[in-house]
Amino acid sequence: MDDTVLLGHGSGGTMMKRIIDEVFFEAYAGANLLRGNDAAVLPSPGSVASTGPLGYSGSLSFSTDSFVVDPHFFPGGDIGRLAVCGTVNDVATAGAEPKYLSCGFILEEGFPMDDLRRICASMAEAAREAGVEIVTGDTKVVNRGHGDGIYINTSGVGYAYAGCDLGGEKCVPGDKVLVTGTMGDHGITIMSCRESLSFAADIESDAAPLNHLIAEVLEAAPNTRCFRDPTRGGLASTLNELAAQSGTDITVDEEAVPVKSAVLGACEMLGYDVFQVANEGKMVCVVPADQADAALAAMRANEYGRDAAIVGDVAAMQPDRGPKVFLRTAFGSTRILDMLVGEQLPRIC
Amino acid sequence: MDDTVLLGHGSGGTMMKRIIDEVFFEAYAGANLLRGNDAAVLPSPGSVASTGPLGYSGSLSFSTDSFVVDPHFFPGGDIGRLAVCGTVNDVATAGAEPKYLSCGFILEEGFPMDDLRRICASMAEAAREAGVEIVTGDTKVVNRGHGDGIYINTSGVGYAYAGCDLGGEKCVPGDKVLVTGTMGDHGITIMSCRESLSFAADIESDAAPLNHLIAEVLEAAPNTRCFRDPTRGGLASTLNELAAQSGTDITVDEEAVPVKSAVLGACEMLGYDVFQVANEGKMVCVVPADQADAALAAMRANEYGRDAAIVGDVAAMQPDRGPKVFLRTAFGSTRILDMLVGEQLPRIC
């Protein structure tokens, strides 16, 4: 097998067949992928019974994400783990069980084949953990100097749970806002990795598949309004999206939001707002007040939700100035928590 | 609105919201996309009746493709039209009606916003023609020098037709091989565009959505074995894949394969084998001999199948030497038609 990726690996001919057989099939071959046709044929939710406590509604959840993170490997994960978890989490936010993933690689000529194998093995492991199957794929190779080693797109199809109709527009005054854990870990890890900053010692990316956690919360808090993963733009941007979609105000208690001290220290030193820093293994969740404790308990019972907290409230919007997000600071004052403007940390996912 | 793509357009914050609202929603907003959540929730085939003559089986077809074509605009199409048609065609080859597309952009800092708008408009038009809805998307921006203006991934979900079980492995000795039109148009267009060769005057890309044609062939020839689009690697690579999957020999009549004289001239001048040159709006189709005429008539009745032809036969493999593809030349001799080795024309899709 070749040591590096060559243009011929994207040719559609024998070299492409070789990279598919020796790298991709080797890493994550399942019956659907191995059939070798241009599209996978898959059961739809109407014909399959759910094995968990939540039944299927018969609807599909469909999402896509491309990953261009730099560097490709970092403490707590790599671009492959990110690519599987990111799409699994997006599909799950619709109140769905992620089932199938596609995987499209854009490789740069000269990319080390061993790195590709390592990334594929990491994708396979994340897919196993999430319980999803990689069923179809595509490989393109671009000339040296026209990529950055590897870009990955994953798209995902899930089966929606019966009785769920989640969405940012469902938040209503009185609801509680929860986060499933500490904020900012992923973004600060990537940044400190890129800049070789030493405070990174005890920080690592939180990249994780949260579909099982989401299902457990939905079981415990069946009237959950929405889930959204605060990736690019962080908690602040996610809350601003939810406020805008639902036409509400949201107020967050600064002291209630879990943040690791190393992450907070890094943010203070570098002038970042930790609420605008990206996460890859966390969810923001809005639930009716009377189900907030149940949702919190379900989160904390999951390995990826141990640090979950109730962090804020949804309130009626002041009609004269549109939906806003507020931060109640540790000193008791309140300030507006804005959406990220421009770019703080490019290519964190 | 900004004139070029900036890193902030991939930030997850207000600039990203602006490019989504002003470019992507503007081009192809539908109810599913506009809901603004991270995953689209869609009906599955069990809950929707087919409006055409073919019913749904209840299964899904799922495929993905990334597009890195250089140049972005060329006679007969652009990267956007290619991105929609390519995935529509792959989904349809499973014997399915393509319904939903995702769209993931990897944009390079500095890419002209007007080019992006033009590409999105072209995607929207191709989607309308194919009858598919773009329901979910993602945008990443990479630094200048780490991309090539624009890369697009599309993934597609379709509803499989009842009674279809298509696949390369279904070909059996005695079957006929058809192509839906002239070979090599797309690859030669891209190559001559890139090299500014003048013989390109009357050649243009064949990029087209073939899902309606496929449905018409399936109605006329219900025992069709498979469809495959001879993109990268051309007719030769596609036939070698089918022979390998089904354990058969395939023989093609050189004179029966439709090729435009300008394309043939270009191939002869440049030393390319036209059977290894890519197509983006053609299908190879294998059918039982007694349905070949019906399939051919259905193809020719469709605007994208006017030049369709029966070009070859499937035969039993010689057990001592594995599946092979043969070309019966105009002079009556027979030679092996190999899969493309290495790379002939990089980045044609």
Side-chain angles (χ1 to χ4, degrees):
Chain A
M1 185 64 194
D2 315 281
D3 289 340
T4 61
V5 171
L6 306 170
L7 280 174
H9 288 123
S11 65
T14 54
M15 285 180 68
M16 189 157 109
K17 189 170 175 338
R18 206 159 67 215
I19 197 175
I20 290 173
D21 288 348
E22 295 180 17
V23 181
F24 304 130
F25 281 2
E26 188 68 26
Y28 34 65
N32 283 306
L33 189 65
L34 282 174
R35 212 176 146 194
N37 291 318
D38 280 349
V41 177
L42 308 164
S44 75
S47 57
V48 177
S50 169
T51 54
L54 301 165
Y56 299 139
S57 71
S59 291
L60 304 171
S61 168
F62 184 30
S63 191
T64 192
D65 235 331
S66 297
F67 295 84
V68 300
V69 66
D70 166 33
H72 302 128
F73 301 95
F74 44 82
D78 55 54
I79 189 172
R81 181 168 174 84
L82 222 52
V84 169
C85 296
T87 292
V88 159
N89 291 347
D90 280 347
V91 168
T93 58
E97 183 178 324
K99 298 288 288 182
Y100 308 110
L101 288 187
S102 67
C103 175
F105 289 106
I106 299 176
L107 304 174
E108 185 181 2
E109 190 184 7
F111 188 67
M113 204 60 84
D114 281 344
D115 284 2
L116 181 60
R117 280 181 217 278
R118 202 175 141 196
I119 288 164
C120 289
S122 169
M123 293 183 76
E125 195 196 318
R128 262 192 305 273
E129 186 185 347
V132 297
E133 193 185 346
I134 297 171
V135 294
T136 188
D138 175 60
T139 309
K140 294 291 187 303
V141 181
V142 295
N143 333 56
R144 213 178 280 268
H146 288 289
D148 206 0
I150 182 167
Y151 297 143
I152 305 178
N153 175 283
T154 49
S155 300
V157 172
Y159 294 174
Y161 294 124
C164 284
D165 183 19
L166 306 180
E169 73 280 11
K170 304 277 175 185
C171 305
V172 294
D175 287 349
K176 292 287 178 189
V177 179
L178 288 82
V179 298
T180 61
T182 54
M183 292 288 109
D185 301 29
H186 177 74
I188 293 299
T189 302
I190 295 300
M191 198 274 309
S192 54
C193 216
R194 218 183 277 163
E195 310 294 337
S196 307
L197 297 178
S198 60
F199 58 72
D202 37 349
I203 309 179
E204 62 173 32
S205 169
D206 54 354
L210 300 177
N211 51 318
H212 302 308
L213 180 148
I214 283 179
E216 288 150 19
V217 171
L218 285 172
E219 203 191 335
N223 297 108
T224 296
R225 313 296 189 195
C226 67
F227 293 98
R228 186 150 313 165
D229 50 342
T231 56
R232 288 176 287 172
L235 179 64
S237 296
T238 294
L239 293 178
N240 274 282
E241 284 174 24
L242 299 181
Q245 276 184 279
S246 57
T248 60
D249 281 355
I250 295 177
T251 301
V252 170
D253 261 313
E254 186 173 26
E255 287 201 297
V257 181
V259 180
K260 287 190 177 126
S261 59
V263 170
L264 197 60
C267 285
E268 282 171 357
M269 194 172 80
L270 297 160
Y272 291 146
D273 180 343
V274 68
F275 295 142
Q276 293 187 337
V277 175
N279 309 279
E280 289 290 337
K282 299 292 155 52
M283 282 284 157
V284 174
C285 173
V286 179
V287 298
D290 62 356
Q291 298 182 1
D293 289 336
L296 183 67
M299 287 174 186
R300 287 187 173 168
N302 184 292
E303 62 170 319
Y304 295 124
R306 275 191 219 118
D307 300 321
I310 298 173
V311 300
D313 305 270
V314 179
M317 176 184 84
Q318 301 296 320
D320 50 327
R321 51 154 183 59
K324 292 273 174 218
V325 178
F326 299 99
L327 188 72
R328 204 176 299 122
T329 70
F331 310 106
S333 64
T334 295
R335 68 168 174 92
I336 285 180
L337 189 62
D338 264 330
M339 208 165 188
L340 176 63
V341 180
E343 181 56 297
Q344 179 174 259
L345 287 168
R347 298 184 54 190
I348 55 83
C349 65
Chain B
M1 185 64 195
D2 315 281
D3 288 340
T4 61
V5 171
L6 305 171
L7 279 173
H9 288 122
S11 65
T14 53
M15 285 180 69
M16 190 157 109
K17 189 170 175 337
R18 207 159 67 215
I19 198 175
I20 291 173
D21 288 347
E22 296 181 16
V23 181
F24 304 130
F25 281 3
E26 188 68 27
Y28 35 65
N32 283 307
L33 189 65
L34 282 174
R35 213 177 144 192
N37 290 318
D38 279 350
V41 177
L42 309 164
S44 75
S47 58
V48 177
S50 168
T51 54
L54 300 165
Y56 298 140
S57 71
S59 290
L60 304 171
S61 168
F62 184 30
S63 191
T64 192
D65 234 331
S66 298
F67 295 83
V68 300
V69 66
D70 165 32
H72 301 129
F73 300 96
F74 44 80
D78 56 55
I79 189 172
R81 181 168 175 83
L82 222 53
V84 169
C85 296
T87 292
V88 159
N89 292 346
D90 279 348
V91 168
T93 57
E97 183 177 324
K99 298 288 287 181
Y100 308 109
L101 288 188
S102 66
C103 175
F105 289 105
I106 299 176
L107 304 174
E108 185 181 2
E109 191 186 4
F111 188 67
M113 205 58 85
D114 281 344
D115 284 3
L116 181 60
R117 280 182 217 276
R118 201 174 142 197
I119 289 164
C120 289
S122 168
M123 293 184 76
E125 195 197 316
R128 262 192 304 275
E129 185 185 347
V132 297
E133 193 184 346
I134 297 171
V135 294
T136 189
D138 176 60
T139 309
K140 294 292 188 304
V141 181
V142 295
N143 334 57
R144 215 178 277 269
H146 288 290
D148 205 359
I150 182 168
Y151 298 143
I152 305 177
N153 176 282
T154 50
S155 300
V157 172
Y159 294 173
Y161 295 123
C164 284
D165 183 18
L166 307 181
E169 73 279 10
K170 303 280 175 182
C171 306
V172 294
D175 287 348
K176 292 287 178 188
V177 179
L178 289 81
V179 298
T180 61
T182 55
M183 292 287 109
D185 301 28
H186 177 75
I188 292 299
T189 301
I190 294 300
M191 198 274 310
S192 54
C193 216
R194 217 182 278 162
E195 310 295 336
S196 308
L197 297 177
S198 59
F199 57 71
D202 36 349
I203 309 178
E204 62 172 34
S205 169
D206 55 354
L210 299 177
N211 52 318
H212 302 308
L213 180 149
I214 284 179
E216 289 150 19
V217 171
L218 285 172
E219 204 192 335
N223 296 108
T224 295
R225 313 297 189 196
C226 68
F227 293 96
R228 187 152 310 167
D229 52 341
T231 56
R232 290 175 287 172
L235 179 65
S237 296
T238 295
L239 293 178
N240 273 283
E241 283 174 26
L242 300 181
Q245 276 184 279
S246 57
T248 60
D249 281 356
I250 295 178
T251 301
V252 169
D253 262 312
E254 187 173 25
E255 287 201 296
V257 181
V259 181
K260 286 188 178 127
S261 58
V263 171
L264 197 60
C267 284
E268 282 171 357
M269 195 172 80
L270 297 159
Y272 290 147
D273 182 342
V274 69
F275 296 142
Q276 292 187 337
V277 175
N279 310 279
E280 289 290 338
K282 300 292 155 54
M283 282 285 158
V284 174
C285 172
V286 179
V287 297
D290 62 357
Q291 296 182 2
D293 289 335
L296 183 66
M299 287 175 186
R300 288 187 172 167
N302 184 292
E303 61 170 319
Y304 294 123
R306 277 192 218 117
D307 299 321
I310 299 173
V311 300
D313 304 270
V314 179
M317 177 184 83
Q318 301 296 320
D320 50 327
R321 51 154 182 59
K324 291 276 175 216
V325 178
F326 299 100
L327 187 72
R328 204 176 299 121
T329 69
F331 311 105
S333 64
T334 296
R335 67 169 176 90
I336 285 178
L337 188 62
D338 264 330
M339 210 165 187
L340 176 64
V341 180
E343 181 57 295
Q344 180 174 259
L345 287 168
R347 298 183 55 190
I348 53 85
C349 65

